[in-house]
Amino acid sequence: MNKLAVLTSGGDAPGMNAAVRAAVRAGIYYNYEVYGVKRGFEGLINGDLEKLNASSVADIIHKGGTFLKTARSQAFMTPEGRKKAVDMLTSMDIRAVIVIGGDGSFRGAEALSREGIQTIGIPATIDNDLAYTDFTIGFDTAVNTVLQAVTNIRDTSSSHEKTTIIEVMGRNCGDLALYAGAAGGAESIIVPEKPFTIKEIGEKIRRGRSRGKLHHILMLAEGAGSAVDIQRKLESETGEKSRITVLGFIQRGGDPTASDRLLASRMGLKAVEACKNGTDSSLIGIRNNDLTITKIDEALSYKKRDDGELTRLTEILST
Ligand code: F6P
């Protein structure tokens, strides 16, 4: 019987459990013996693997986090660490690994594939920062989590007639700020992909005030600058006090949305089918709602481009 291992790696994302469930059940459907690896690549190095059956992944499709646990493995980045991992897989006669994670995890996946292990990646990160795919698992849930926070903050921001800077995660990608900001009607959105000036934001705040607008929600992607620094400059530009809310790790947890559960389930099945078909090591993605399979090095060479539509929408609609 062929053997397959599945692991989750890097920052967790809602929907990882649904992806593991799909990979395990699809693997069993296609007659694989499926192993769950604990704590990502660390588990491969330490031999922390357990055989899973259909019941091992019961009752997890709706849960945030990852029951396999996750880690950012430094050891796997070294040749010695990788050798240990490959030796472990070879000794157990496991020839295929499904890696569920983001950019860093896929660099690990690429390294593993260079050692002759068939490696298929499933994108799961709240950052949505992988250019080869339209969406990553966990992004939709995180957008909704941020949106709920924006809605709550808008109430108090209006009552107190204050500008509030809401800092969101995303690393060097502004998608989380952009999507949640556009959906939440934020007045300003600052993302790393687009230059901004304090003067133009100050101007927007003043224009709003002159129309009797009570609040100003400024969404700030963490990769675009320091909230404290922007607050200081904005206060000196407008002469008004403002507040900062850093949403932090609440963005990484929570029950996955229907959209993330479906995406994870579709990608999990597709990943197993790629293993079964003997596909070269690749990453599963989604473009225009169709699943895609792209060789790892090619997928990682894509540059993310923002067509500017949501930024333009915010500029026109959030006056
Ligand atoms: O990649 C997911 C993410 O949550 C980023 O948005 C954030 O910058 C980072 O992970 C935080 O990483 P850590 O969990 O190592 O603090």
Side-chain angles (χ1 to χ4, degrees):
M1 197 181 236
N2 286 334
K3 295 181 180 178
L4 169 66
V6 54
L7 62 85
T8 51
S9 158
D12 62 351
M16 276 184 161
N17 276 326
V20 174
R21 169 185 178 269
V24 171
R25 294 212 169 147
I28 292 167
Y29 176 83
Y30 284 115
N31 291 319
Y32 277 100
E33 205 164 276
V34 185
Y35 289 81
V37 184
K38 288 285 167 73
R39 297 174 193 84
F41 294 104
E42 285 292 306
L44 281 187
I45 295 170
N46 302 328
D48 206 352
L49 287 80
E50 70 176 285
K51 194 172 155 198
L52 301 176
N53 58 36
S55 307
S56 320
V57 290
D59 215 18
I60 61 168
I61 190 171
H62 59 296
K63 289 188 176 145
T66 161
F67 89 104
L68 288 178
K69 313 287 182 224
T70 184
R72 302 187 196 276
S73 175
Q74 295 304 320
F76 191 76
M77 292 302 143
T78 66
E80 300 75 33
R82 279 200 296 280
K83 183 173 180 319
K84 271 193 185 166
V86 173
D87 287 349
M88 177 57 61
L89 288 166
T90 313
S91 72
M92 292 181 72
D93 201 24
I94 298 174
R95 309 224 176 97
V97 178
I98 294 179
V99 173
I100 303 169
D103 184 48
S105 309
F106 289 165
R107 300 206 180 274
E110 190 180 29
L112 196 58
S113 74
R114 272 191 262 111
E115 308 285 344
I117 304 287
Q118 186 191 26
T119 312
I120 305 293
I122 296 179
T125 162
I126 64 162
D127 299 341
N128 206 41
D129 58 348
L130 292 161
Y132 81 92
T133 182
D134 289 346
F135 293 110
T136 57
I137 297 163
F139 176 65
D140 184 64
T141 306
V143 168
N144 281 286
T145 303
V146 174
L147 186 59
Q148 183 60 58
V150 172
T151 307
N152 292 3
I153 289 168
R154 179 191 278 275
D155 290 343
T156 173
S157 191
S158 292
S159 308
H160 289 264
E161 305 180 62
K162 286 268 189 308
T163 292
T164 305
I165 300 169
I166 305 178
E167 185 191 296
V168 304
M169 285 185 167
R171 223 177 268 276
N172 297 317
C173 179
D175 280 15
L176 194 48
L178 195 57
Y179 280 66
E187 280 68 29
S188 302
I189 305 176
I190 300 181
V191 292
E193 294 86 351
K194 189 173 178 287
F196 71 96
T197 64
I198 292 292
K199 200 167 169 31
E200 68 195 9
I201 295 169
E203 190 48 45
K204 210 167 182 189
I205 293 173
R206 279 192 289 270
R207 272 205 312 273
R209 289 273 182 260
S210 68
R211 286 192 302 116
K213 190 157 200 166
L214 301 181
H215 65 263
H216 189 99
I217 302 285
L218 192 165
M219 296 296 292
L220 171 65
E222 64 177 355
S226 137
V228 173
D229 189 39
I230 289 171
Q231 180 188 44
R232 190 176 44 77
K233 290 179 179 152
L234 205 54
E235 288 186 354
S236 104
E237 170 70 27
T238 61
E240 284 181 20
K241 289 265 173 243
S242 58
R243 292 162 162 175
I244 294 177
T245 299
V246 178
L247 295 184
F249 287 98
I250 66 159
Q251 297 163 95
R252 288 240 297 256
D255 299 344
T257 57
S259 170
D260 274 331
R261 295 181 203 190
L262 285 172
L263 186 62
S265 303
R266 291 174 70 192
M267 288 183 164
L269 173 59
K270 187 82 171 174
V272 171
E273 289 178 341
C275 293
K276 185 183 154 280
N277 296 336
T279 307
D280 286 342
S281 290
S282 299
L283 303 182
I284 307 296
I286 188 159
R287 279 267 187 253
N288 305 319
N289 205 27
D290 284 330
L291 294 178
T292 58
I293 303 187
T294 314
K295 294 232 178 82
I296 303 183
D297 50 352
E298 185 193 334
L300 294 182
S301 71
Y302 289 8
K303 295 275 167 288
K304 198 160 164 77
R305 265 181 290 150
D306 168 24
D307 63 10
E309 193 204 335
L310 289 186
T311 311
R312 200 173 139 264
L313 177 147
T314 303
E315 276 162 12
I316 295 172
L317 303 187
S318 297
T319 58

mmCIF file of all heavy atoms in Angstrom, residues 29-49:
data_model
loop_
_atom_site.group_PDB
_atom_site.id
_atom_site.type_symbol
_atom_site.label_atom_id
_atom_site.label_comp_id
_atom_site.label_asym_id
_atom_site.label_seq_id
_atom_site.Cartn_x
_atom_site.Cartn_y
_atom_site.Cartn_z
ATOM 1 N N TYR A 29 -9.530 7.042 0.532
ATOM 2 C CA TYR A 29 -10.379 6.697 -0.626
ATOM 3 C C TYR A 29 -9.529 6.116 -1.767
ATOM 4 O O TYR A 29 -9.931 5.184 -2.449
ATOM 5 C CB TYR A 29 -11.119 7.965 -1.072
ATOM 6 C CG TYR A 29 -11.969 7.796 -2.316
ATOM 7 C CD1 TYR A 29 -13.257 7.266 -2.227
ATOM 8 C CD2 TYR A 29 -11.481 8.165 -3.571
ATOM 9 C CE1 TYR A 29 -14.038 7.109 -3.362
ATOM 10 C CE2 TYR A 29 -12.253 8.013 -4.706
ATOM 11 C CZ TYR A 29 -13.533 7.482 -4.594
ATOM 12 O OH TYR A 29 -14.296 7.326 -5.727
ATOM 13 N N TYR A 30 -8.341 6.697 -1.941
ATOM 14 C CA TYR A 30 -7.461 6.234 -3.023
ATOM 15 C C TYR A 30 -6.454 5.169 -2.535
ATOM 16 O O TYR A 30 -5.396 4.990 -3.130
ATOM 17 C CB TYR A 30 -6.721 7.423 -3.641
ATOM 18 C CG TYR A 30 -7.624 8.240 -4.565
ATOM 19 C CD1 TYR A 30 -7.966 9.546 -4.254
ATOM 20 C CD2 TYR A 30 -8.138 7.682 -5.729
ATOM 21 C CE1 TYR A 30 -8.797 10.287 -5.090
ATOM 22 C CE2 TYR A 30 -8.970 8.419 -6.571
ATOM 23 C CZ TYR A 30 -9.297 9.709 -6.243
ATOM 24 O OH TYR A 30 -10.123 10.437 -7.076
ATOM 25 N N ASN A 31 -6.800 4.529 -1.429
ATOM 26 C CA ASN A 31 -6.011 3.394 -0.915
ATOM 27 C C ASN A 31 -4.621 3.743 -0.417
ATOM 28 O O ASN A 31 -3.712 2.918 -0.500
ATOM 29 C CB ASN A 31 -5.890 2.278 -1.970
ATOM 30 C CG ASN A 31 -7.222 1.618 -2.187
ATOM 31 O OD1 ASN A 31 -7.942 1.378 -1.216
ATOM 32 N ND2 ASN A 31 -7.562 1.377 -3.438
ATOM 33 N N TYR A 32 -4.449 4.945 0.066
ATOM 34 C CA TYR A 32 -3.173 5.293 0.702
ATOM 35 C C TYR A 32 -3.250 4.965 2.189
ATOM 36 O O TYR A 32 -4.323 5.015 2.797
ATOM 37 C CB TYR A 32 -2.903 6.802 0.599
ATOM 38 C CG TYR A 32 -2.286 7.251 -0.698
ATOM 39 C CD1 TYR A 32 -3.067 7.826 -1.698
ATOM 40 C CD2 TYR A 32 -0.915 7.132 -0.906
ATOM 41 C CE1 TYR A 32 -2.509 8.275 -2.880
ATOM 42 C CE2 TYR A 32 -0.346 7.572 -2.086
ATOM 43 C CZ TYR A 32 -1.142 8.142 -3.070
ATOM 44 O OH TYR A 32 -0.589 8.574 -4.235
ATOM 45 N N GLU A 33 -2.095 4.670 2.767
ATOM 46 C CA GLU A 33 -1.951 4.670 4.221
ATOM 47 C C GLU A 33 -1.523 6.104 4.536
ATOM 48 O O GLU A 33 -0.517 6.562 3.987
ATOM 49 C CB GLU A 33 -0.848 3.689 4.604
ATOM 50 C CG GLU A 33 -0.961 3.149 5.992
ATOM 51 C CD GLU A 33 -0.067 1.913 6.139
ATOM 52 O OE1 GLU A 33 -0.513 0.804 5.772
ATOM 53 O OE2 GLU A 33 1.071 2.099 6.593
ATOM 54 N N VAL A 34 -2.285 6.804 5.385
ATOM 55 C CA VAL A 34 -2.003 8.233 5.580
ATOM 56 C C VAL A 34 -1.429 8.491 6.979
ATOM 57 O O VAL A 34 -1.968 8.008 7.984
ATOM 58 C CB VAL A 34 -3.282 9.085 5.369
ATOM 59 C CG1 VAL A 34 -2.947 10.570 5.444
ATOM 60 C CG2 VAL A 34 -3.936 8.771 4.027
ATOM 61 N N TYR A 35 -0.359 9.277 7.023
ATOM 62 C CA TYR A 35 0.284 9.629 8.294
ATOM 63 C C TYR A 35 0.161 11.127 8.538
ATOM 64 O O TYR A 35 0.401 11.935 7.643
ATOM 65 C CB TYR A 35 1.772 9.235 8.275
ATOM 66 C CG TYR A 35 1.946 7.741 8.328
ATOM 67 C CD1 TYR A 35 1.822 6.970 7.165
ATOM 68 C CD2 TYR A 35 2.164 7.094 9.535
ATOM 69 C CE1 TYR A 35 1.926 5.593 7.211
ATOM 70 C CE2 TYR A 35 2.270 5.714 9.593
ATOM 71 C CZ TYR A 35 2.152 4.965 8.437
ATOM 72 O OH TYR A 35 2.243 3.605 8.490
ATOM 73 N N GLY A 36 -0.184 11.489 9.763
ATOM 74 C CA GLY A 36 -0.209 12.895 10.166
ATOM 75 C C GLY A 36 1.111 13.213 10.839
ATOM 76 O O GLY A 36 1.592 12.443 11.684
ATOM 77 N N VAL A 37 1.730 14.325 10.442
ATOM 78 C CA VAL A 37 3.022 14.725 11.011
ATOM 79 C C VAL A 37 2.756 15.852 12.007
ATOM 80 O O VAL A 37 2.065 16.812 11.684
ATOM 81 C CB VAL A 37 3.971 15.254 9.908
ATOM 82 C CG1 VAL A 37 5.346 15.566 10.478
ATOM 83 C CG2 VAL A 37 4.059 14.275 8.738
ATOM 84 N N LYS A 38 3.310 15.724 13.207
ATOM 85 C CA LYS A 38 3.097 16.748 14.235
ATOM 86 C C LYS A 38 4.115 17.889 14.107
ATOM 87 O O LYS A 38 5.287 17.644 13.835
ATOM 88 C CB LYS A 38 3.217 16.136 15.636
ATOM 89 C CG LYS A 38 2.031 15.246 15.991
ATOM 90 C CD LYS A 38 0.814 16.101 16.315
ATOM 91 C CE LYS A 38 -0.501 15.358 16.391
ATOM 92 N NZ LYS A 38 -0.656 14.534 17.562
ATOM 93 N N ARG A 39 3.638 19.119 14.272
ATOM 94 C CA ARG A 39 4.477 20.323 14.281
ATOM 95 C C ARG A 39 5.295 20.520 13.005
ATOM 96 O O ARG A 39 6.483 20.819 13.030
ATOM 97 C CB ARG A 39 5.412 20.331 15.500
ATOM 98 C CG ARG A 39 4.629 20.379 16.783
ATOM 99 C CD ARG A 39 5.446 20.260 18.039
ATOM 100 N NE ARG A 39 4.516 20.020 19.135
ATOM 101 C CZ ARG A 39 4.038 18.810 19.452
ATOM 102 N NH1 ARG A 39 4.409 17.747 18.793
ATOM 103 N NH2 ARG A 39 3.177 18.691 20.433
ATOM 104 N N GLY A 40 4.660 20.331 11.882
ATOM 105 C CA GLY A 40 5.282 20.642 10.595
ATOM 106 C C GLY A 40 6.559 19.888 10.330
ATOM 107 O O GLY A 40 6.688 18.702 10.659
ATOM 108 N N PHE A 41 7.537 20.570 9.739
ATOM 109 C CA PHE A 41 8.788 19.909 9.352
ATOM 110 C C PHE A 41 9.551 19.386 10.566
ATOM 111 O O PHE A 41 10.338 18.447 10.461
ATOM 112 C CB PHE A 41 9.657 20.869 8.534
ATOM 113 C CG PHE A 41 9.031 21.217 7.197
ATOM 114 C CD1 PHE A 41 8.423 22.443 6.982
ATOM 115 C CD2 PHE A 41 9.041 20.298 6.155
ATOM 116 C CE1 PHE A 41 7.842 22.752 5.759
ATOM 117 C CE2 PHE A 41 8.459 20.594 4.929
ATOM 118 C CZ PHE A 41 7.859 21.823 4.722
ATOM 119 N N GLU A 42 9.313 20.005 11.731
ATOM 120 C CA GLU A 42 9.953 19.509 12.968
ATOM 121 C C GLU A 42 9.583 18.051 13.208
ATOM 122 O O GLU A 42 10.420 17.235 13.598
ATOM 123 C CB GLU A 42 9.474 20.319 14.180
ATOM 124 C CG GLU A 42 10.060 21.708 14.298
ATOM 125 C CD GLU A 42 11.536 21.682 14.606
ATOM 126 O OE1 GLU A 42 11.917 21.035 15.598
ATOM 127 O OE2 GLU A 42 12.305 22.305 13.846
ATOM 128 N N GLY A 43 8.332 17.730 12.950
ATOM 129 C CA GLY A 43 7.839 16.368 13.168
ATOM 130 C C GLY A 43 8.471 15.376 12.212
ATOM 131 O O GLY A 43 8.642 14.199 12.562
ATOM 132 N N LEU A 44 8.806 15.847 11.004
ATOM 133 C CA LEU A 44 9.485 14.950 10.054
ATOM 134 C C LEU A 44 10.878 14.625 10.570
ATOM 135 O O LEU A 44 11.361 13.502 10.473
ATOM 136 C CB LEU A 44 9.622 15.620 8.675
ATOM 137 C CG LEU A 44 8.398 15.653 7.757
ATOM 138 C CD1 LEU A 44 8.797 16.199 6.396
ATOM 139 C CD2 LEU A 44 7.789 14.263 7.604
ATOM 140 N N ILE A 45 11.527 15.659 11.116
ATOM 141 C CA ILE A 45 12.892 15.463 11.627
ATOM 142 C C ILE A 45 12.887 14.543 12.846
ATOM 143 O O ILE A 45 13.737 13.659 12.988
ATOM 144 C CB ILE A 45 13.520 16.840 11.978
ATOM 145 C CG1 ILE A 45 13.692 17.670 10.706
ATOM 146 C CG2 ILE A 45 14.847 16.672 12.719
ATOM 147 C CD1 ILE A 45 14.081 19.111 10.951
ATOM 148 N N ASN A 46 11.902 14.758 13.719
ATOM 149 C CA ASN A 46 11.870 14.004 14.985
ATOM 150 C C ASN A 46 11.109 12.679 14.897
ATOM 151 O O ASN A 46 10.954 11.986 15.901
ATOM 152 C CB ASN A 46 11.227 14.852 16.089
ATOM 153 C CG ASN A 46 11.980 16.152 16.283
ATOM 154 O OD1 ASN A 46 13.192 16.197 16.089
ATOM 155 N ND2 ASN A 46 11.268 17.221 16.635
ATOM 156 N N GLY A 47 10.580 12.377 13.729
ATOM 157 C CA GLY A 47 9.814 11.136 13.584
ATOM 158 C C GLY A 47 8.494 11.178 14.335
ATOM 159 O O GLY A 47 7.989 10.148 14.788
ATOM 160 N N ASP A 48 7.920 12.365 14.456
ATOM 161 C CA ASP A 48 6.669 12.517 15.185
ATOM 162 C C ASP A 48 5.487 12.365 14.215
ATOM 163 O O ASP A 48 4.857 13.350 13.807
ATOM 164 C CB ASP A 48 6.677 13.910 15.848
ATOM 165 C CG ASP A 48 5.801 13.957 17.066
ATOM 166 O OD1 ASP A 48 5.087 12.975 17.301
ATOM 167 O OD2 ASP A 48 5.819 14.998 17.762
ATOM 168 N N LEU A 49 5.243 11.124 13.803
ATOM 169 C CA LEU A 49 4.190 10.843 12.823
ATOM 170 C C LEU A 49 3.235 9.809 13.407
ATOM 171 O O LEU A 49 3.660 8.934 14.154
ATOM 172 C CB LEU A 49 4.778 10.221 11.540
ATOM 173 C CG LEU A 49 5.560 11.101 10.574
ATOM 174 C CD1 LEU A 49 6.967 11.301 11.073
ATOM 175 C CD2 LEU A 49 5.593 10.482 9.193
#
